[in-house]
Amino acid sequence: LDKIMSQITLPGSIFLALIAIFPAFIVKLMDVQQGWALFFGGTSLLIMVGVAIDTMQQVNSYLLNRHYDGLMKTGKNRKAVA
């Protein structure tokens, strides 16, 4: 577990740093207004991605739960034959 955590920490931290400075690069390279960088700053991008992932997980969980509820209602009870 320690080896895996060590392997994913560096790429994860580099990715988070890139997302945090992404709006500054866009403002410089594309001559976008400064308000855009404030609205789509690194923190807000991380929050939007986190909310989107959580929403997808909740929808998936709901659909999976509904699928299993349907199986339980339509299934037949088997009686053990001795």
Side-chain angles (χ1 to χ4, degrees):
L1 186 61
D2 185 42
K3 182 180 176 184
I4 294 172
M5 288 299 293
S6 297
Q7 290 175 347
I8 65 172
T9 300
L10 180 63
S13 62
I14 291 171
F15 176 72
L16 290 176
L18 289 175
I19 289 207
I21 61 174
F22 174 72
F25 282 128
I26 295 298
V27 168
K28 286 284 188 184
L29 295 175
M30 300 182 125
D31 294 329
V32 182
Q33 294 179 358
Q34 188 70 25
W36 184 90
L38 293 175
F39 184 72
F40 288 109
T43 305
S44 61
L45 284 175
L46 291 173
I47 290 171
M48 286 189 283
V49 169
V51 168
I53 289 173
D54 186 50
T55 302
M56 288 188 319
Q57 286 176 345
Q58 286 181 4
V59 168
N60 190 20
S61 174
Y62 173 77
L63 292 174
L64 190 63
N65 188 21
R66 191 162 181 201
H67 176 72
Y68 281 123
D69 283 346
L71 286 176
M72 296 300 283
K73 290 177 184 175
T74 59
K76 295 181 180 179
N77 292 334
R78 292 185 174 190
K79 294 183 180 181
V81 179

